[in-house]
Amino acid sequence: METAVLILLWAMVLWRAPAALRARRQRALWVTFAALTLSMTLRLPEIMRAIDGGTGVNNLSTLLKHVFGLTAGAALLEFVFGITRPTSRDGRRLRLALAGTTLLALTVLFALTPREAQAEKFFEFHAGGGAAVTTYLLVWYAYLGLAMAVAATLFWSAQRHAGAGWLRAGLLLLGAGTAASVGYALVRAAFLVLRLTGVAGAGTDTGVTHWTDVAKHAAIVLILLGSVLPAVGAARAARRYARHLRALAPLWQTLTAAVPEVVLPEELRRSELRMRLHRRMVEIRDAILALQPYVTAAQREHAAAVAARSGLTGTARQALADACWLEAARHARLAGRPPVASARRGDAALDAGVALDAAPGPAAGPSAGATPAVGLAAPGTAPAAPAGSPADGGGPVRGLGDLSDLDAEARVLHALQAALQRPEVQEFTVRTASPPQETAPS
């Protein structure tokens, strides 16, 4: 089992190395696994003999193992504090001071521990062997248990605020793995005291060592799984975002060809899939709002009647109504005709299908002929009041939805894109091709 766990640890270290190089916030977790992997590697008999024999210091590999284990615990604490309290640096000096003090204590106690012979199983060999070695091991298990207890508390606290899904499951497993580590440390520390006081006999050493090792390996596997699950969820989300980007490309191209001013000039990296999808949706929304003044209220009512006669229901019916007037507005804009309806954004907007009928989102729609705001406020600033909100002086703009749920927004826009291909839309566009009589107010 130990070999399998060690293989998993090395695989995790290699897998997370590129992310640690790219993103600073990933480095603490990578250091956790790298230090833990080195600590577990130093348990291999061949490695132990090479270090101890090469230096002439019995069980120097054990001290190094505990140093790397302490490093892993300290790095895990920095990681969990970083994800649960990202803006707070409170306690960081105390945590580092505690780790440094523990390291110093281990070094001094190791030097004071009699080690006349090399022991491959240091805990089992020295259990009940004297005050110095018992104190050395108790200091190690005390730090491990305290660090893992704090980590488990923070992981479980964070999972209560995480949405259901991969992230929450990952935090639960991380909490379970660190909690199991606390149990491992407590059992071993208690056994050391019992052996030192003579309550437990030497015949129990092998059994306690074996079962606590099983608990330790189980804890490591739980922590590994807990760290992988959120990454799996992120990868699945990235694939969904990529599919949405490809699927919405025709709708985006069709609309922005008529109102190119809504397209932002800034380039995003290809890997920023969520931000690229968010921007594409905002630009589609802004294009829709920019085209609204090119149709009259009568044309929108006519579009609603066409959709009612189609036999469709629900979102599909509303999407067809919106597609009819939107295509007519797009043709009018491309033909060079001037706006015919009031450009006040609160007068009319998409109805429930394309709109999400939700609370106003962060994006603000454009005035006719103006470059629209896209609702991406600069860091540290509050978003502008949505058009048509009380702060804007108009009625509610139902055409802007909450883009926090990109999957739901994508489904709405997919319905609009599909509706644009229906024959009713083409027939509506042909019938309304002549310029309408309503003129824009002076």
Side-chain angles (χ1 to χ4, degrees), residues 95-268:
R95 295 192 299 273
L96 293 179
L98 179 60
T101 302
T102 304
L103 177 59
L104 178 61
L106 288 176
T107 304
V108 172
L109 289 168
F110 180 81
L112 296 176
T113 298
R115 303 181 311 279
E116 291 81 6
Q118 170 70 18
E120 288 189 3
K121 295 184 178 181
F122 190 81
F123 173 84
E124 183 178 341
F125 184 83
H126 287 285
V133 68
T134 299
T135 304
Y136 170 87
L137 290 170
L138 285 176
V139 168
W140 159 240
Y141 291 127
Y143 178 83
L144 177 64
L146 178 61
M148 295 302 100
V150 172
T153 301
L154 291 175
F155 280 131
W156 278 339
S157 175
Q159 67 85 20
R160 290 198 297 269
H161 304 288
W166 296 94
L167 176 59
R168 186 171 187 178
L171 290 171
L172 279 170
L173 289 176
L174 285 167
T178 48
S181 299
V182 175
Y184 161 81
L186 287 176
V187 170
R188 284 213 163 184
F191 180 72
L192 285 170
V193 174
L194 294 176
R195 283 286 284 116
L196 183 65
T197 57
V199 175
T204 58
D205 293 350
T206 301
V208 171
T209 301
H210 170 75
W211 288 111
T212 51
D213 277 344
V214 170
K216 176 181 64 178
H217 295 146
I220 293 173
V221 171
L222 286 172
I223 292 172
L224 286 169
L225 289 174
S227 67
V228 167
L229 284 184
V232 172
R236 287 168 60 91
R239 286 197 294 271
R240 287 201 315 276
Y241 296 153
R243 287 198 302 269
H244 291 325
L245 273 169
R246 290 192 298 269
L248 290 175
L251 178 63
W252 178 84
Q253 291 167 353
T254 297
L255 296 180
T256 57
V259 280
E261 63 270 19
V262 304
V263 179
L264 291 176
E266 292 87 357
E267 292 292 331
L268 294 174

Side-chain angles (χ1 to χ4, degrees), residues 321-347:
D322 293 327
C324 286
W325 72 255
L326 185 59
E327 184 68 0
R330 189 180 72 87
H331 277 263
R333 170 70 184 242
L334 290 174
R337 293 200 289 270
V340 295
S342 170
R344 187 168 73 88
R345 290 169 288 184
D347 284 350

